[in-house]
Amino acid sequence: MLTRRMTILGGGALMAAVGPARAQTFPDRPVRLVVGYPPGGNVDFTARLLQPAMSQALGQQVMVDNRAGAGGIVGTDLVAKARPDGYTMLLTGTAPVSIFPVAMERLPYDPLRDLAPIGMAYRVPIVMMVSKDITTTTLAAFVERAKATPGGMSAGTAGIGSGAHLAIELFNAGTNAGLVHVPYRGTGPALNDLIAGNIPVVFDQLSSALPLHMDGRARIIGIASATRSPLLPNVETLREAGLVQAELSTTLGLLAPGGTPSAVVEKLAAALAAALADPAVRDRLTSLGAMIPPAADITPAYYGQVVRDELDIYREAVRLGNVKLE
């Protein structure tokens, strides 16, 4: 009996050692990078931009696998249920990991339990853009104008439950501006109405709004980032104006299935940091308004904290707007 017990215990120790041993040789075959959106969008673009540099850093091919559906839920759930060996990872935006979990009653995964953060790639801040008919040039002046006509100022977004919609809820809570949310079916129609003067305000990502600001078809008067964007040094942040303290953005990051060995996750994080250090990658992303974290912050711990902070921020925004997604 004693011999049999020792054999069982020895077998358990051997299994425990397998994880670190595999981590030392990881990766020894191609790695799949799941994108929960169709080809052509921002997340897919970023995945394909990172792909060559990450492949070089890992010494194995990184293969982009588009698994679109349900606003990113299909791809996210696939990774959450994948084998936690590092050979499947997810590149995603904010909604599947920070908005849907607090705005939907049922979700097939828990982002904190079923996914392991690898690293944040970048943030694209949400901005507040006004039509040419709005002559105010500062956030303070805009808020005073909106408060003078309660409920008389509408603000468009890409849709109900979007990050921009929740930004409006937080903006109203911080200012009592009383902006009336007008959801559109995507960013394009909202921006078209802004240009035409059919709606005075649109909240959107910096990357989409920047071209209109640069050619004078509309104006960005506020940005929901911690610091001013290098692309818009004269545009004040909502934080410095004392209106909204939280950073509100589309945040792109890499995640692995929950339970992936930490040594493997660290290797993937190092590959992401190496890719983001590539000048060609950095220049392309920053030209589109992306704010890349310092290399020291491209870590599992930092991105994990970002996700937890965003869950708290958007949980409050969902409560304020009574937002329910199905």
Side-chain angles (χ1 to χ4, degrees):
M1 177 64 71
L2 180 60
T3 302
R4 182 169 180 267
R5 229 176 128 185
M6 290 176 66
T7 300
I8 293 171
L9 291 172
L14 179 62
M15 289 301 292
V18 168
R22 287 180 177 172
Q24 289 177 4
T25 61
F26 174 86
D28 57 13
R29 63 180 189 272
V31 176
R32 179 170 59 154
L33 176 55
V34 175
V35 173
Y37 305 93
N42 289 343
V43 181
D44 177 71
F45 165 80
T46 301
R48 296 181 191 281
L49 186 64
L50 295 173
Q51 179 185 27
M54 287 195 69
S55 296
Q56 183 175 5
L58 290 170
Q60 290 287 341
Q61 182 68 24
V62 173
M63 305 173 65
V64 177
D65 183 6
N66 295 89
R67 295 299 184 97
I73 291 175
V74 170
T76 304
D77 186 46
L78 184 152
V79 174
K81 292 179 170 57
R83 185 175 180 178
D85 55 10
Y87 289 97
T88 301
M89 55 182 174
L90 173 76
L91 180 68
T92 187
T94 304
V97 294
S98 300
I99 294 178
F100 294 160
V102 296
M104 301 179 72
E105 288 189 7
R106 296 181 181 179
L107 206 60
Y109 57 84
D110 180 324
L112 299 181
R113 180 193 65 210
D114 300 327
L115 295 167
I118 295 170
M120 185 176 82
Y122 61 79
R123 295 179 186 267
V124 176
I126 291 172
V127 298
M128 180 179 174
M129 175 169 267
V130 298
S131 72
K132 292 185 292 185
D133 298 333
I134 302 295
T135 58
T136 51
T137 58
T138 67
L139 285 168
F142 174 86
V143 170
E144 287 305 311
R145 176 172 175 172
K147 290 169 69 174
T149 55
M153 188 80 74
S154 56
T157 71
I160 294 174
S162 64
H165 171 202
L166 299 181
I168 291 175
E169 299 297 341
L170 292 169
F171 183 85
N172 279 339
T175 63
N176 292 317
L179 299 181
V180 177
H181 177 226
V182 179
Y184 285 78
R185 291 181 177 274
T187 295
L191 293 178
N192 288 339
D193 263 7
L194 182 73
I195 296 168
N198 296 328
I199 193 167
V201 183
V202 164
F203 279 65
D204 197 14
Q205 296 181 78
L206 174 58
S207 55
S208 302
L210 189 61
L212 278 65
H213 178 86
M214 299 303 289
D215 65 19
R217 287 180 289 170
R219 288 184 299 110
I220 297 172
I221 65 169
I223 183 168
S225 51
T227 59
R228 295 192 182 197
S229 167
L231 300 177
L232 299 168
N234 296 321
V235 174
E236 62 185 328
T237 69
L238 300 184
R239 178 180 291 184
E240 69 181 298
L243 305 180
V244 178
Q245 292 300 308
E247 286 189 79
L248 306 173
S249 63
T250 295
T251 305
L252 264 68
L254 281 179
L255 301 109
T260 300
S262 59
V264 170
V265 171
E266 292 290 347
K267 283 191 176 183
L268 294 171
L272 174 62
L276 291 170
D278 185 308
V281 173
R282 291 187 71 87
D283 290 349
R284 187 74 179 104
L285 290 174
T286 55
S287 71
L288 298 173
M291 303 180 84
I292 300 171
D297 289 338
I298 304 175
T299 64
Y302 183 86
Y303 183 38
Q305 188 60 54
V306 167
V307 171
R308 289 191 292 274
D309 289 346
E310 288 186 336
L311 285 166
D312 289 342
I313 291 165
Y314 290 121
R315 183 178 293 108
E316 174 62 10
V318 163
R319 184 191 68 80
L320 289 168
N322 193 27
V323 178
K324 294 181 181 179
L325 300 177
E326 296 182 359

